[in-house]
Amino acid sequence: MAVLRIRNVHKKKYAIICLCIVGFILYRYLQLPAGGRNRNRKVGLSTNSSEFTLEGEPFRILGGSIHYFRVPRAYWRDRLMKMKACGINTLTTYVPWSLHQPQRGVFNFHTQLDLEAYIDLAAELGLWVILRPGPYISSELDLGGLPSWLLRDGSMRLRTTYPGFTHAVNTFFDKLIPKVVPLQFKKGGPIIAVQVENEYGSFAKDESYMLFIKEALQSKGISELLLTSDNHNTLKSGGVDGAIRSVRLQKLNQRDIQDLNSIQPNSPTMVMDYWTGWYDVWGDLHHVLPPEDMVSTVREILRRGMSVNFYMFHGGSSFGFMSGALADPSYKALVPSYDYDAPLSEAGEYTPKYHLLRDLLSRYNKGDSIPDMTALHYREAYEPAIMYQHLSVWDALSFTEGPFKSHKQVSMENLPVNNRNGQSYGYTLYETTITSGGLLKSGDNVRDRALVFVDRSYIGLFKRQSLDLAVPGGKGRRTLSLLVENCGRVHQGRDLDKQHKGLVGDILLNNIPLRDFTMYSLDMKPGFIDSLYQATWKTLPETPSFPGFFMGRLFAYGYPSDTFVKLPGWEKGVVFINGLNLGRYWSIGPQQALYLPGPFLNSGINQVMVFEEQEGDYKIHFEDTPDLGMAADIQ
């Protein structure tokens, strides 16, 4: 009997402990300040004549942009906790259509692209969320985040109510919006506002378009506050009735605010994109905004009682071939780093901007203490990887999708690859037969850069500024090859419909168009890179052929740390770590090192593969400090 009593006592204790745990969990579940599941909320983010309110209480948006698709998933929590510790109360993120729907009918909302998990994490950490679902987002992405397969329609008019575009948008929204509807504020989630499209005032080709996007969002279940974001001089043409207008700026000019207030009187003022820095393009300098300039502007924004969102708070990296390009005044492609000179660096390091901003924002947190700053991740300078194997690009062709034959050249987007969705990124090889030498003219039909070969011997380069090339004479039939690279589609401007890549028109030899092409798609997707491990690699010769793939190994013992890949002596190409595309490198800079997050590495042996176009020194360095190039203040 004594034993039985003791057991019953223990059972009661365990039951009480279990009830306490369940009670605590339920309390936390119902009481989380941002994004808990309190489904009794009636009034979300609203506006009165001078301020935002949340559930009827005054609320100032102190927002920061961090894009889940630019941060390794393993680091999402780290980056958001650092943002919370700076005094930010709202996370904003774009949603990249091109990544979520790489092909018609194919959708990806998993692993790195698990948007629901990202928003849930923000809620767990006590952050509100402003969602920016596009469909066009700019964000310095290839084609502004629009999928390239849209361009297969020869009549396509992007960002308009052209039926081919609106149908595609509705199909995407039918997949996306149901995922975020339950995460809205009034349903117990953290989403307090949703942006309608993005800076449409600078495009403004269709007066009905913004209304279409707004109605598409609402008809599928979006019920929180809607807003738009534009530059001060395009606010009127970029807005839509029923959505709050907000402004984008880096320097606070009185005119910017006056323009907004004149269009939208008796409403709170918000800077939806306060640019903490800027992006970089190849062949230029690394753009920086002095910390004191940033803080003085933000201090004035806050003094005036305005809400603000920092773009970017943490930029991260445009891994792979995500980066876009500029068209005006001339074509320039963006580097893979999206460091943006933001308060939190590309690798998640605290910067002087972070410390100054934390001190400033701590005064605007209603007396609440902001969390402590979290520890930084260790970074390591690993031993160099020595390239020991080589595979020429010609020997890799058997692993591509193709070859495809056509009388005339075919652009990347119109190639019959990827289930007839065309090629989005990477390189395309065009080959044809010639019987004489002479003058080869591109007529600006090479997009964007082409290495030219005769019988696989390099003879020169086509790029947008060089339109002519001499082809040496020779006897008999010879193979002329053009390896064309998509360096990045333009991410903004009114020429989005014209962003076809590859050969987009006739190439002339002695004023006669080349015909009868054989084409290979070298899109460098993970499946292709993985297949190359089955190729017959050769021991690295003393004088390897270019272009080619080079293989080496990185040894990371213990728990892998962040590092930076540096390639002195190499010219231009792409780096792959364990099959993952880190991005392009190019000796012209400004960026001289690629960020390699520790979660991309395995403990032990890691495969390093480099695709180099023209020149290499066969050694890859790993350093513990970034190198974004020579800096210049933003003008």
Side-chain angles (χ1 to χ4, degrees):
M1 289 295 291
V3 173
L4 185 60
R5 285 196 193 97
I6 290 170
R7 285 178 177 166
N8 285 336
V9 168
H10 283 309
K11 285 180 181 177
K12 287 179 181 177
K13 285 182 178 178
Y14 289 141
I16 291 169
I17 291 170
C18 289
L19 284 171
C20 289
I21 291 171
V22 170
F24 176 75
I25 290 171
L26 288 172
Y27 173 79
R28 293 287 295 169
Y29 189 68
L30 294 172
Q31 298 298 319
L32 276 174
R37 289 298 184 262
N38 181 358
R39 291 179 171 81
N40 295 321
R41 296 169 177 165
K42 302 297 183 185
V43 182
L45 187 67
S46 305
T47 64
N48 58 32
S49 61
S50 61
E51 62 185 0
F52 289 103
T53 61
L54 191 60
E55 283 199 296
E57 296 295 322
F59 180 74
R60 187 203 296 260
I61 298 168
L62 300 175
S65 290
I66 301 180
H67 301 149
Y68 57 100
F69 51 92
R70 282 186 163 117
V71 178
R73 180 167 179 165
Y75 283 164
W76 284 355
R77 180 178 294 272
D78 173 77
R79 305 309 196 247
L80 295 187
M81 287 177 67
K82 287 172 176 171
M83 184 165 78
K84 178 80 174 174
C86 195
I88 300 293
N89 61 27
T90 303
L91 165 70
T92 74
T93 185
Y94 284 125
V95 178
W97 181 8
S98 55
L99 302 185
H100 285 292
Q101 192 183 1
Q103 299 178 20
R104 288 186 184 273
V106 176
F107 298 90
N108 182 2
F109 289 92
H110 306 294
T111 58
Q112 185 63 49
L113 295 174
D114 192 340
L115 175 61
E116 293 164 280
Y118 187 63
I119 295 173
D120 279 335
L121 177 60
E124 177 192 332
L125 298 177
L127 291 163
W128 303 113
V129 174
I130 296 177
L131 192 68
R132 310 174 83 174
Y136 166 84
I137 60 174
S138 182
S139 191
E140 288 69 64
L141 292 181
D142 183 287
L143 203 59
L146 299 174
S148 64
W149 47 258
L150 290 168
L151 298 175
R152 289 176 67 85
D153 179 346
S155 303
M156 177 56 67
R157 297 196 301 278
L158 301 174
R159 302 180 75 190
T160 70
T161 51
Y162 171 69
F165 186 69
T166 57
H167 175 74
V169 169
N170 275 318
T171 300
F172 174 55
F173 277 3
D174 283 342
K175 289 288 183 180
L176 168 66
I177 302 304
K179 294 180 182 296
V180 298
V181 163
L183 300 172
Q184 295 180 102
F185 179 86
K186 289 192 284 290
K187 295 183 181 293
I191 297 175
I192 57 174
V194 175
Q195 183 172 302
V196 183
E197 237 264 358
N198 190 55
E199 53 182 329
Y200 193 69
S202 62
F203 193 77
K205 286 187 175 183
D206 187 333
E207 291 182 0
S208 306
Y209 175 69
M210 287 294 282
L211 180 60
F212 157 70
I213 297 296
K214 175 194 165 189
E215 291 179 346
L217 292 168
Q218 291 179 325
S219 67
K220 298 176 200 311
I222 295 298
S223 59
E224 301 298 337
L225 182 77
L226 298 179
L227 51 84
T228 59
S229 176
D230 287 281
N231 296 327
H232 76 93
N233 57 340
T234 59
L235 281 163
K236 192 170 184 179
S237 52
V240 61
D241 288 346
I244 295 294
R245 288 170 166 85
S246 64
V247 70
R248 308 150 55 85
L249 53 83
Q250 189 165 70
K251 297 178 181 178
L252 188 61
N253 298 316
Q254 186 61 33
R255 180 184 172 188
D256 298 342
I257 308 307
Q258 287 175 344
D259 288 349
L260 178 58
N261 290 337
S262 65
I263 294 172
Q264 186 175 267
N266 302 317
S267 289
T269 305
M270 179 169 180
V271 179
M272 186 60 194
D273 289 305
Y274 171 72
W275 296 309
T276 60
W278 205 243
Y279 51 82
D280 294 335
V281 297
W282 289 115
D284 206 335
L285 298 172
H286 171 49
H287 295 94
V288 297
L289 178 69
E292 56 274 16
D293 289 1
M294 183 200 80
V295 171
S296 65
T297 301
V298 174
R299 184 182 293 114
E300 181 61 18
I301 288 172
L302 297 177
R303 188 192 68 78
R304 295 182 181 213
M306 300 157 65
S307 286
V308 65
N309 175 62
F310 298 95
Y311 190 98
M312 298 292 296
F313 182 83
H314 167 58
S317 309
S318 298
F319 295 113
F321 296 135
M322 261 198 267
S323 295
L326 293 174
D328 188 25
S330 61
Y331 177 87
K332 288 189 176 180
L334 272 64
V335 304
S337 171
Y338 204 61
D339 177 88
Y340 215 84
D341 194 37
L344 208 58
S345 77
E346 179 178 15
E349 303 283 312
Y350 301 117
T351 68
K353 284 182 179 176
Y354 182 98
H355 295 291
L356 289 170
L357 195 57
R358 187 172 191 262
D359 179 65
L360 177 61
L361 295 183
S362 65
R363 307 171 204 171
Y364 289 89
N365 271 263
K366 294 185 176 180
D368 299 332
S369 60
I370 58 179
D372 293 335
M373 293 164 58
T374 60
L376 296 175
H377 290 285
Y378 179 71
R379 298 185 304 194
E380 188 160 343
Y382 291 104
E383 289 296 314
I386 308 300
M387 301 291 104
Y388 64 96
Q389 286 185 303
H390 172 259
L391 181 71
S392 79
V393 71
W394 316 108
D395 292 334
L397 294 180
S398 60
F399 295 90
T400 65
E401 193 174 346
F404 304 99
K405 296 184 181 295
S406 172
H407 181 60
K408 295 184 68 174
Q409 68 285 331
V410 178
S411 72
M412 277 189 179
E413 297 77 11
N414 288 311
L415 287 171
V417 297
N418 298 316
N419 298 319
R420 305 196 73 83
N421 284 273
Q423 181 179 342
S424 293
Y425 313 111
Y427 299 76
T428 306
L429 180 68
Y430 296 82
E431 293 194 329
T432 188
T433 300
I434 59 173
T435 56
S436 67
L439 187 63
L440 195 65
K441 295 182 179 180
S442 74
D444 197 27
N445 287 324
V446 170
R447 304 291 170 82
D448 299 294
R449 199 170 178 272
L451 304 174
V452 186
F453 307 83
V454 172
D455 286 342
R456 299 185 175 179
S457 294
Y458 176 72
I459 64 166
L461 173 71
F462 273 135
K463 50 187 178 180
R464 291 189 173 231
Q465 292 79 23
S466 58
L467 308 180
D468 298 339
L469 183 64
V471 176
K475 296 181 179 179
R477 296 166 63 84
R478 296 177 298 161
T479 300
L480 176 73
S481 307
L482 294 95
L483 182 63
V484 186
E485 179 191 8
N486 165 15
C487 295
R489 294 181 184 84
V490 165
H491 62 264
Q492 63 184 18
R494 295 173 64 84
D495 290 332
L496 291 177
D497 303 339
K498 302 174 184 177
Q499 294 306 306
H500 292 82
K501 296 296 182 178
L503 296 184
V504 300
D506 286 336
I507 307 298
L508 308 179
L509 178 59
N510 300 325
N511 293 319
I512 299 173
L514 297 176
R515 291 291 183 261
D516 298 322
F517 285 92
T518 300
M519 295 162 288
Y520 300 83
S521 172
L522 285 147
D523 54 12
M524 307 285 185
K525 291 199 299 187
F528 168 73
I529 296 300
D530 289 344
S531 72
L532 292 186
Y533 291 109
Q534 311 304 316
T536 304
W537 291 71
K538 297 175 182 176
T539 301
L540 187 66
E542 192 170 317
T543 55
S545 65
F546 293 94
F549 295 88
F550 296 80
M551 181 98 75
R553 288 175 179 169
L554 162 64
F555 295 90
Y557 296 108
Y559 191 81
S561 302
D562 289 0
T563 189
F564 297 89
V565 183
K566 203 161 188 180
L567 298 101
W570 299 75
E571 178 60 26
K572 185 180 186 300
V574 190
V575 176
F576 304 87
I577 303 291
N578 296 325
L580 293 171
N581 185 340
L582 279 193
R584 299 178 178 91
Y585 64 89
W586 197 353
S587 61
I588 66 172
Q591 184 176 355
Q592 297 293 336
L594 292 169
Y595 173 50
L596 172 52
F600 288 5
L601 296 173
N602 305 316
S603 178
I605 296 175
N606 296 270
Q607 295 289 348
V608 181
M609 191 185 296
V610 174
F611 175 71
E612 166 59 48
E613 295 181 12
Q614 291 184 285
E615 180 183 359
D617 87 337
Y618 323 129
K619 184 186 292 187
I620 307 299
H621 297 264
F622 301 94
E623 302 187 352
D624 57 6
T625 54
D627 186 351
L628 295 174
M630 185 179 295
D633 287 355
I634 297 167
Q635 300 301 315

